[in-house]
């Protein structure tokens, strides 16, 4: 193991990660004040799965750019990377709170819960990664041993963010399809067609999360 196992840019990023992880945990523990009802579950899912996709992809891209240029940029560049990560994380937390503030109707409760859980699983994975990086930076030697990497400086430490698709993604897709069928039976044809279209679109967007989630970042 070398005397200086942690590149300076990673130290710069790490200075931001601890408060990010703490703020994330605090926001998730807080319960937002209820403000409004779910008027259109399909539109809600459509909106928030797009928002999730945009923020998580941007978060992963910022990490990839930062970790991919650890020896080529000045400190200021990595402060800017951390600022981008903060912005995307805030976007995710704001979306999470926006969904939690809404009160769903009984028939939409399951879909609403699944959407909340997708947010939670996404944020938990990011929090775990941030805390893992901070733990490594606090004690690089212990971090290397923990990963079973040779301490002679020849091993590489993988600190990339590798997210897994929450199981609720598939569950929500199936629920949307079922809810769309229920509406088709319960409502008149012209009204039901619009809701089936929304259900189909939301289902496609939710399903698309599965493809890019694994290994992003």
């Amino acid at each position: 193991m070398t005397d200086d196992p942690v590149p300076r840019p990673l130290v710069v990023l790490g200075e931001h990660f601890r408060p990010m992880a703490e703020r994330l945990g605090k926001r998730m523990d807080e319960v937002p004040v209820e403000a409004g009802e779910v008027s259109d579950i399909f539109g809600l899912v459509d909106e928030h799965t797009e928002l999730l996709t945009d923020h998580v992809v941007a978060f992963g891209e910022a990490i990839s750019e930062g970790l991919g240029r650890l020896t080529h940029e000045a400190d200021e560049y990595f402060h800017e990377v951390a600022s981008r990560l903060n912005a995307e994380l805030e976007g995710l937390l704001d979306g999470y709170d926006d969904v939690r503030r809404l009160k769903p109707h009984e028939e939409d409760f399951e879909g609403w819960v699944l959407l909340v859980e997708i947010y939670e699983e996404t944020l938990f994975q990011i929090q775990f990664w941030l805390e893992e990086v901070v733990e490594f930076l606090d004690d690089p030697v212990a971090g290397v041993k923990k990963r079973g990497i040779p301490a002679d400086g020849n091993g590489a430490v993988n600190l990339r963010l590798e997210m897994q698709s929450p199981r609720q993604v598939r569950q929500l897709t199936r629920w949307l399809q079922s809810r769309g069928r229920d509406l088709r039976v319960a409502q008149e044809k012209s009204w039901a067609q619009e809701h089936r279209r929304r259900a189909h679109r939301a289902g496609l967007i939710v399903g698309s999360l599965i493809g890019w989630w694994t290994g992003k970042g």
Side-chain angles (χ1 to χ4, degrees), residues 59 114 197:
F59 192 92
L114 289 170
R197 184 192 65 79

Side-chain angles (χ1 to χ4, degrees), residues 55-65 85 88 160-161 216-217:
H55 285 305
V56 175
V57 168
F59 192 92
E61 289 175 347
I63 293 169
S64 294
E65 292 175 17
L85 293 173
E88 301 305 335
R160 295 176 65 83
L161 172 63
K216 258 304 184 191

